[in-house]
Every structure is written in structure tokens, then in C-alpha cells.
Amino acid sequence: MASRRGDVIESQFMSQCIPADQLRQQMTSIIQKTGSELAEAEQVAANLVMANLSGHDSHGVGMVPRYVDAVLEGGLNPNTGVKVVLDTGPLLNLDGQRGYGQITGVQAMQMGIERAKQHGVCTVALSRSHHLGRIGHFAEMAVAQGLVSVHFVNVLSRPVVAPFGGGDGRFGTNPCCIGIPMGNRPPFVLDYATSRVAQGKMRVAHNKGEQVPDGYLIDENGQPTNNPGVVVVPQSNGLFGALMTFGEHKGFGMAMACELLGGALTGGGTWHREADNKRAVLNGMLTMIIDPVKLGTQDSFAKEALAFEDWLRQSPDAPNSEGVVLAGEPERKARADREQNGIWIDNATWSEIQAAEAKLKSRHA
Ligand code: NAD
């Protein structure tokens, strides 16, 4: 099975391999048609393609059809940045006003980073942002400036995750993320959904016709299942199944903390109602940024962090494992590979993207 980059080819999953540049251009063009200015469309497209490059296809260009629907329904506002609700210096309260999260999230981080450098810390409450995508993107902005950042995020879209001990979905995939600079080495970037897996990964698996391992999902009747379709399409009784949290009660606790901090404390709100069919995905994000230089521990922090990393790496490989991997490494490895060899997009996802573009064309016709 041979392929050239950019060719449309058939693999066992019916996919095509597209160079990142080409994908950025194509997504920019679609997002512009949602009403975005060119600069906004380019920034949103670059963020989505970066998620694909980082190995997180769930938060990549496959989100575009959802964004198109959200704009058409009036749930996502193109060309809309953050509104400052409160600014005390080290405390920022920002309203995302349903703008593209790839824009509002970057604005929030730019402001927070500047304040953290000034004051040593900054807490940024960002509410009512449309989908922020891969949260690690924001931690990477902070660590690039030598800053620590911690993010708690809630998701207002569909209650797709079941509480530990519960039998149906009650909240979103609520990601949390911690970015820590590691001296002159690549940073630690821990970034994951508090569900056992991200909802978008179930869409990708469903589109590929794959089953998922035990312990990920319950069906519409609260029974364990391996079928990712239960959280992607309505089931026989019109209801969806649900994802489970990672780490049993511990993951559930973290998911709840994300809802309380990312939703309640930011002012964006928590989920406590029945599901609807609206396509918008709103995120609330509470971010804390710390400058180790201002804290006065920069030298010992860098020394101790590197010593701990060295210590971890001396651990012998567990049988049948790839050895110790640090958070952030898989994404950097995927980027190096996909920048070089292109990004595989399965045909179901590609058809959804084309259908979304066609909807926008008919709107302008
Ligand atoms: P995941 O399960 O792939 O975990 C990713 C994290 O684990 C990364 O920090 C990665 O570096 C680390 N990691 C991976 N393999 C490792 C290993 N062998 N050893 C040590 N660390 C390892 O991620 P996920 O839960 O599927 O989340 C994917 C993305 O979805 C994230 O970027 C998240 O922010 C995003 N997300 C966004 C939303 C939203 O509403 N905006 C909601 C949920 C998830």
C-alpha cells in the first residue's frame, strides 16, 4: 500500500494523508466562510492543525463541522474577542462572549502571562468561550516564557461523562492541564480529559468503525459497552450512552473540581439540565500562572526539576513497555513525524468537513 504525501489513497481505514500546510489553507478557507476575518480564520486553522500534528486528532480539523453548525445556529460568534469584566492586575475576569476559543484562549493567556511577569502570579477566569480545543496549547504559551501554568476547564455542550457510581452522563469531558518549564530541556505538559478518553476520540473511533477497550463506556441503559457510537449517535431509545471518568473516584473528583473551578468560579456556569441538540461547545477555564523568578526559587526549581527528571529516566523499562515517557513527549514526537509525513484524515471525517463547507456555500448562494 504505497502513498505520496497529499495523494488521496485508500488504507484499511479509508484515509487520506494531507500535508499540514495544505490542511491549514483548506481549513482557513472554510472558517473564513463562517464569517471570520482572514487573521482569525488563519489562527483557528493553525490551532486545529497543531492539534492534529500533536497527535490529538480529536481536537483537530474534525471539529470544523461542529464549529460551522454552531455558527449557523448562532452559538459561536466569529470576530469576537474577550471582554474584560474585572482587572485588578493579578486577577483577571474575562468573558469569552462565545468567540472562537482559539482566539479568546490566546488573548486570555497573553494577558495572564504579562500580568504574571509583573506580579509573580495571575489568576485568569475565562467564561463563555467557545471550544478552546487542546488546552496544552495554552500551557505551551506559558512554559515558552519560563512560567508555570495550571488550567481547570469545564465543558458546556452535552453531559457525556457519568459520575463514578452513576449510570448516565451528567457533565462534560472537563480537561485539566499543567505546564512546567524544565530548565533548558523540553517542558512537562500534562494535558488530558478527565473522562477515560476524550469524546472526540470516540468520534474518530466511530468514524473508523473501531471498538474501544473495556472500561471506557456505558450504553444508553447504563451497561458496559465497547461501541464508541453510543456517545456519538442517539441510540434506539433516543438517548446517548456515556463515557466513564479516568481513575474511578479520583478522576470523578478531578472532573468535579474542573466543573466547580472552570464553570462555577469563572462565572460561566455549570451543567445541571437535560441535554439539548445545540452544537455549540462552551468552555470555562480557570488558569493560574506562576513566575518562578518572582517567587525567588528559579535556580533551585530548575535544578531540582532536572534532577528529578534524570532520576525518573534511570528507572529500568517495565516488560513490554516503551520505558518512562514524560508528559509532553508524545505530542512533540507526533509533531516531528506528522510535520514530515503529513496528517492522516479518515474519510468519514473528511466527508463531514466537505458537507460543512457545502452548507456554508448554500448559505451564501
Ligand atoms: P491523552 O489520554 O492522550 O493524554 C494526554 C496526556 O498524557 C499528555 O499530557 C501526554 O503527554 C501524556 N502522555 C501520553 N502518553 C504518556 C505516557 N506513556 N507516559 C506519560 N505521559 C503520557 O489525552 P486526552 O484525555 O485524550 O485529551 C486529548 C486532548 O483533548 C487534550 O489536549 C485536552 O486538552 C483536550 N480536551 C479538550 C476539551 C475541551 O472542551 N476543550 C475537552 C476534553 C479534552
Side-chain angles (χ1 to χ4, degrees), residues 23 26-27 30-31 34 44 48 52 57-73 76 100 102 130-131 203 207 277-281 345-360:
L23 206 49
Q26 287 173 305
M27 295 309 117
I30 300 176
I31 292 155
T34 69
V44 174
L48 293 172
N52 287 108
D57 294 327
S58 55
H59 288 70
V61 299
M63 288 303 294
V64 166
R66 183 118 198 208
Y67 293 178
V68 167
D69 286 346
V71 170
L72 294 176
E73 283 177 5
L76 163 56
Y100 273 106
Q102 289 79 3
H130 195 261
H131 191 237
R203 171 175 45 79
N207 283 346
N277 292 322
K278 297 266 189 309
R279 299 282 284 161
V281 183
I345 307 285
D346 67 85
N347 280 2
T349 300
W350 196 248
S351 302
E352 286 169 12
I353 292 170
Q354 287 176 317
E357 188 172 21
K359 278 187 208 169
L360 291 168

Side-chain angles (χ1 to χ4, degrees), residues 48-365:
L48 293 172
V49 172
M50 178 55 86
N52 287 108
L53 285 171
S54 307
H56 293 291
D57 294 327
S58 55
H59 288 70
V61 299
M63 288 303 294
V64 166
R66 183 118 198 208
Y67 293 178
V68 167
D69 286 346
V71 170
L72 294 176
E73 283 177 5
L76 163 56
N77 299 328
N79 308 315
T80 305
V82 298
K83 184 173 91 185
V84 178
V85 180
L86 174 132
D87 177 358
T88 69
L91 269 181
L92 288 170
N93 180 352
L94 308 174
D95 182 345
Q97 304 189 100
R98 290 178 169 266
Y100 273 106
Q102 289 79 3
I103 303 296
T104 58
V106 167
Q107 287 178 333
M109 286 306 293
Q110 284 169 337
M111 293 174 77
I113 286 169
E114 189 199 312
R115 301 308 167 81
K117 285 184 168 175
Q118 222 178 327
H119 303 284
V121 289
C122 183
T123 298
V124 189
L126 174 64
S127 63
R128 299 199 320 131
S129 183
H130 195 261
H131 191 237
L132 288 160
R134 197 178 65 88
I135 306 305
H137 189 85
F138 307 117
E140 284 163 2
M141 288 178 68
V143 295
Q145 305 280 324
L147 305 172
V148 170
S149 75
V150 182
H151 310 259
F152 297 94
V153 180
N154 85 325
V155 190
L156 301 177
S157 100
R158 188 152 62 79
V160 74
V161 185
F164 182 64
D168 66 358
R170 293 279 149 168
F171 49 86
T173 51
N174 294 6
C176 60
C177 175
I178 302 173
I180 304 178
M182 299 290 287
N184 54 5
R185 296 188 196 161
F188 171 87
V189 182
L190 180 65
D191 172 29
Y192 55 72
T194 48
S195 50
R196 180 70 185 73
V197 276
Q199 154 77 7
K201 288 196 170 132
M202 297 298 90
R203 171 175 45 79
V204 173
H206 174 68
N207 283 346
K208 287 180 176 176
E210 293 173 351
Q211 295 283 292
V212 301
D214 291 346
Y216 282 28
L217 294 165
I218 52 174
D219 68 15
E220 68 280 15
N221 301 310
Q223 299 300 314
T225 179
N226 303 98
N227 171 19
V230 298
V231 289
V232 181
V233 288
Q235 300 301 293
S236 53
N237 57 3
L239 300 176
F240 287 89
L243 295 161
M244 295 163 84
T245 56
F246 80 92
E248 301 180 329
H249 57 288
K250 302 180 192 186
F252 169 45
M254 187 58 96
M256 186 161 171
C258 287
E259 192 76 23
L260 296 176
L261 298 175
L265 188 63
T266 59
T270 61
W271 189 279
H272 44 78
R273 59 186 166 86
E274 293 303 315
D276 57 34
N277 292 322
K278 297 266 189 309
R279 299 282 284 161
V281 183
L282 293 188
N283 281 144
M285 176 164 75
L286 185 82
T287 299
M288 285 169 281
I289 308 171
I290 304 167
D291 184 350
V293 173
K294 288 272 183 193
L295 190 63
T297 60
Q298 172 64 25
D299 291 346
S300 63
F301 168 52
K303 200 165 136 255
E304 287 297 316
L306 299 190
F308 184 61
E309 178 179 337
D310 290 343
W311 168 252
L312 287 176
R313 290 195 189 280
Q314 287 160 18
S315 180
D317 292 358
N320 307 316
S321 88
E322 52 180 328
V324 173
V325 174
L326 302 190
E329 285 185 321
E331 287 73 19
R332 290 190 287 272
K333 196 170 160 203
R335 268 174 224 164
D337 172 53
R338 291 181 175 198
E339 283 281 10
Q340 180 75 25
N341 300 312
I343 296 165
W344 287 94
I345 307 285
D346 67 85
N347 280 2
T349 300
W350 196 248
S351 302
E352 286 169 12
I353 292 170
Q354 287 176 317
E357 188 172 21
K359 278 187 208 169
L360 291 168
K361 277 189 188 139
S362 62
R363 180 171 77 148
H364 290 297

